[in-house]
Amino acid sequence: MLRVRDTVTTTINMVHYQQTNFMGRLHGGDMLKFLADSGMLASMRVAKGFTVLASLDQVLFKKGGRLGDIIEVEAKVLYVGKSSMEVEMSARRGEEIIVTATGTYVKVDQEFRPVEIDEKVIPETREEQVKVEEAMKRREARLEKLANRNSMRECSADPTNFLRYRISNSLFVGPGMTYDGRVASAGMLLKAMDDLGGTLALRFNGIENYSPDSDGVVTVAVSDIFFYSPIRLGDVVEMNAGLTYVGKTSADILINVNRLDPKSGGCSHVTTAFFTYVRIDPQGNKKEMPEYVPATEQERELWLNSLRRRQRPL
């Protein structure tokens, strides 16, 4: 039996040039990679074996990182089920928490099948008990959403196909995108998704080229990422992103991911998620987005979906 504090894993990350945008700000995708990797290390400590990221419930970016910042990422396991673990992650700069996240990791064998975890984790303080109770509520809500998981594994039709503002990208999964030469890094995939969503948000705002007085966009939230199929070495990843909602200063981007096996020709659904971006000026102040009015039935449906998601309790 482990205590919650025995599961804590801390990683130290210094923000380098290649991780920043032209404003010297840390890319949201790199922060997502920090969080995913730290959560994996904490879950592996408990599972005593290899784990994969199964879901991210909510990632909230409270403040941004800048070139030269030292970012400390902490992950802790709050609850252990049969083969899955509820993990809480946070990133801080000094004493200031700048990002929070929660997710689920699953222990798997060499064939990526779930494996039972022998260890259990117990809360010791009232604060830890509250966090465990919150994790159990997220778990119940997630299981309800995953009731039709088998159908979700099937290759997904592109939900952005009829949107006016959309963008696509394809990636080959080489060794550099994997943890161990077999399965793709969840952090690398999240970074690729964020890069695609950020590119679409920039284009919608008419920002195509860098200049010192250019505006930019920053990632502020990621919602409901469920990973239905593992991505393996040699697969081709197809990503489609579409604009679904625009508020005063922020925009939601829907990103859908499928994996293709070039050898068998098979296709499976990996994930569908919403990324939220805010437009900022060169000084980092929020700035209004261009007007967007949904014009078709599909655009209106996705617009309403974004409104419902934004109004739920965080």
Side-chain angles (χ1 to χ4, degrees), residues 165-236:
Y165 299 96
R166 62 183 301 276
I167 191 173
S168 300
N169 192 23
S170 297
L171 299 171
F172 175 76
V173 181
M177 278 195 69
T178 69
Y179 284 121
D180 57 357
R182 297 185 306 128
V183 63
S185 156
M188 294 291 284
L189 177 62
L190 289 167
K191 174 172 167 46
M193 293 172 68
D194 181 72
D195 287 347
L196 187 67
T199 299
L200 179 57
L202 285 169
R203 285 189 171 180
F204 173 71
N205 282 278
I207 305 167
E208 291 279 356
N209 301 296
Y210 165 72
S211 68
D213 58 350
S214 291
D215 293 341
V217 297
V218 292
T219 313
V220 295
V222 180
S223 304
D224 296 337
I225 298 185
F226 299 96
F227 293 99
Y228 306 116
S229 302
I231 301 173
R232 295 177 172 84
L233 179 69
D235 282 346
V236 173

Side-chain angles (χ1 to χ4, degrees), residues 39-295:
M40 185 185 72
L41 291 172
S43 62
M44 287 177 65
R45 173 180 289 185
V46 174
K48 297 180 176 61
F50 188 63
T51 64
V52 294
L53 180 63
S55 70
L56 278 177
D57 301 304
Q58 190 81 21
V59 184
L60 296 176
F61 292 76
K62 303 174 184 293
K63 294 285 184 68
R66 288 188 172 276
L67 178 65
D69 281 350
I70 296 175
I71 307 296
E72 183 175 335
V73 182
E74 181 181 277
K76 65 180 70 171
V77 178
L78 300 174
Y79 173 81
V80 180
K82 185 176 181 180
S83 60
S84 65
M85 291 156 283
E86 300 295 319
V87 182
E88 177 186 77
M89 295 149 278
S90 62
R92 65 177 66 239
R93 179 179 50 209
E95 297 300 316
E96 181 181 33
I97 294 179
I98 61 175
V99 185
T100 60
T102 55
T104 304
Y105 288 78
V106 175
K107 182 178 181 180
V108 295
D109 61 17
Q110 292 293 313
E111 302 301 322
F112 305 106
R113 295 172 299 205
V115 175
E116 190 168 343
I117 302 169
D118 297 326
E119 196 63 80
K120 298 297 177 185
V121 174
I122 57 170
E124 290 185 295
T125 66
R126 177 56 186 162
E127 181 183 4
E128 290 177 350
Q129 182 60 46
V130 169
K131 287 183 177 294
V132 171
E133 291 170 0
E134 291 172 348
M136 294 307 296
K137 291 179 181 178
R138 291 192 298 270
R139 180 183 178 88
E140 291 173 6
R142 188 186 312 116
L143 291 174
E144 186 176 340
K145 292 178 182 178
L146 293 174
N148 297 318
R149 184 184 178 96
N150 288 335
S151 63
M152 293 175 180
R153 289 179 180 273
E154 298 174 359
C155 197
S156 171
D158 177 15
T160 74
N161 192 39
F162 299 102
L163 298 177
R164 282 171 291 163
Y165 299 96
R166 62 183 301 276
I167 191 173
S168 300
N169 192 23
S170 297
L171 299 171
F172 175 76
V173 181
M177 278 195 69
T178 69
Y179 284 121
D180 57 357
R182 297 185 306 128
V183 63
S185 156
M188 294 291 284
L189 177 62
L190 289 167
K191 174 172 167 46
M193 293 172 68
D194 181 72
D195 287 347
L196 187 67
T199 299
L200 179 57
L202 285 169
R203 285 189 171 180
F204 173 71
N205 282 278
I207 305 167
E208 291 279 356
N209 301 296
Y210 165 72
S211 68
D213 58 350
S214 291
D215 293 341
V217 297
V218 292
T219 313
V220 295
V222 180
S223 304
D224 296 337
I225 298 185
F226 299 96
F227 293 99
Y228 306 116
S229 302
I231 301 173
R232 295 177 172 84
L233 179 69
D235 282 346
V236 173
V237 177
E238 289 193 345
M239 296 187 292
N240 296 291
L243 180 76
T244 63
Y245 177 87
V246 178
K248 183 176 181 181
T249 61
S250 65
D252 287 355
I253 306 293
L254 169 65
I255 304 178
N256 188 69
V257 182
N258 285 323
R259 62 170 285 270
L260 305 177
D261 184 341
K263 295 180 180 178
S264 67
C267 174
S268 59
H269 184 205
V270 175
T271 189
T272 300
F274 286 91
F275 284 63
T276 301
Y277 300 87
V278 164
R279 180 174 181 169
I280 58 173
D281 64 21
Q283 289 71 47
N285 302 308
K286 291 183 180 180
K287 190 169 178 179
E288 288 193 18
M289 291 268 183
E291 184 181 13
Y292 171 80
V293 178

